[in-house]
Amino acid sequence: MFKVKVFIKRRPSILDPQGKAVEKGAELLGLTNIKNTRIGKFIEFNVDTNNRIDAEKEVNDYCKKLLANPIMEDFEFSLEEVK
Amino acid sequence: MFKVKVFIKRRPSILDPQGKAVEKGAELLGLTNIKNTRIGKFIEFNVDTNNRIDAEKEVNDYCKKLLANPIMEDFEFSLEEVK
């Protein structure tokens, strides 16, 4: 079995209004050094197979077809084998 | 300046209906080995100070007061100094 971590970020060219909004909140709370907040997703799951190649293919499909929006997001993932 | 990465996860005891829903989608697409999907947040920003202690304090406040929901989420962060 593999334990997988996926990181999804908006492309740098895409605005992040959610990040801007929280940052504005930070400023109002006196946290004035916080800049350029970008909010993405962090997804964890297991892939129930012992073959790394199969697992990577399945994770890649999962990210492309369901987890990330290919128009405005990029993704990265890491696999760690667990017994 | 510090570049900060924050990871926010739901506590293991808290259900993740969003994760369950995407996982059901994966199953329907034939990705049947994917199990136990948990969806969290991955947040990046800069802290504009040269003092690591101040930066950590500010990041901790930002997470506690705005980014994470202390009732059902846990957070971790890492700081990397950049020139």
Side-chain angles (χ1 to χ4, degrees):
Chain A
M1 195 172 77
F2 293 89
K3 214 167 147 33
V4 183
K5 293 180 189 216
V6 176
F7 304 92
I8 299 176
K9 302 188 214 184
R10 288 184 172 231
R11 305 235 160 95
S13 57
I14 306 268
L15 289 175
D16 184 348
Q18 194 190 357
K20 272 270 163 298
V22 221
E23 200 171 294
K24 186 84 193 159
E27 212 181 303
L28 297 173
L29 289 173
L31 308 171
T32 49
N33 297 319
I34 310 275
K35 310 282 175 205
N36 204 19
T37 304
R38 310 273 302 174
I39 301 189
K41 280 181 221 146
F42 170 55
I43 300 162
E44 288 181 305
F45 53 89
N46 299 327
V47 184
D48 195 8
T49 168
N50 292 315
N51 180 323
R52 182 173 277 265
I53 309 274
D54 286 355
E56 281 180 359
K57 192 185 167 305
E58 194 150 342
V59 174
N60 204 39
D61 277 2
Y62 194 25
C63 290
K64 280 203 178 139
K65 295 184 182 165
L66 282 167
L67 301 177
N69 172 349
I71 302 183
M72 46 190 228
E73 292 172 332
D74 290 320
F75 63 87
E76 283 168 34
F77 59 82
S78 67
L79 276 82
E80 183 200 333
E81 188 155 15
V82 286
K83 301 290 171 188
Chain B
M1 195 172 80
F2 292 89
K3 211 167 148 35
V4 183
K5 292 179 192 220
V6 176
F7 303 91
I8 298 177
K9 305 189 215 185
R10 287 182 173 232
R11 303 234 161 94
S13 56
I14 307 267
L15 289 175
D16 184 348
Q18 194 190 357
K20 272 270 163 298
V22 223
E23 198 170 297
K24 188 82 193 163
E27 211 180 304
L28 297 173
L29 288 172
L31 307 170
T32 49
N33 296 320
I34 310 274
K35 311 282 176 205
N36 204 18
T37 304
R38 310 273 301 174
I39 301 190
K41 281 183 221 141
F42 170 55
I43 300 163
E44 288 180 303
F45 52 90
N46 299 327
V47 184
D48 195 8
T49 169
N50 292 316
N51 181 321
R52 181 173 280 265
I53 309 275
D54 286 355
E56 279 179 1
K57 193 184 167 306
E58 194 150 344
V59 173
N60 204 40
D61 277 2
Y62 194 24
C63 290
K64 279 206 179 136
K65 294 184 181 163
L66 281 168
L67 301 177
N69 171 348
I71 302 183
M72 47 190 228
E73 292 172 332
D74 290 319
F75 63 87
E76 282 167 34
F77 59 82
S78 67
L79 276 81
E80 182 199 335
E81 189 155 16
V82 285
K83 301 290 171 191

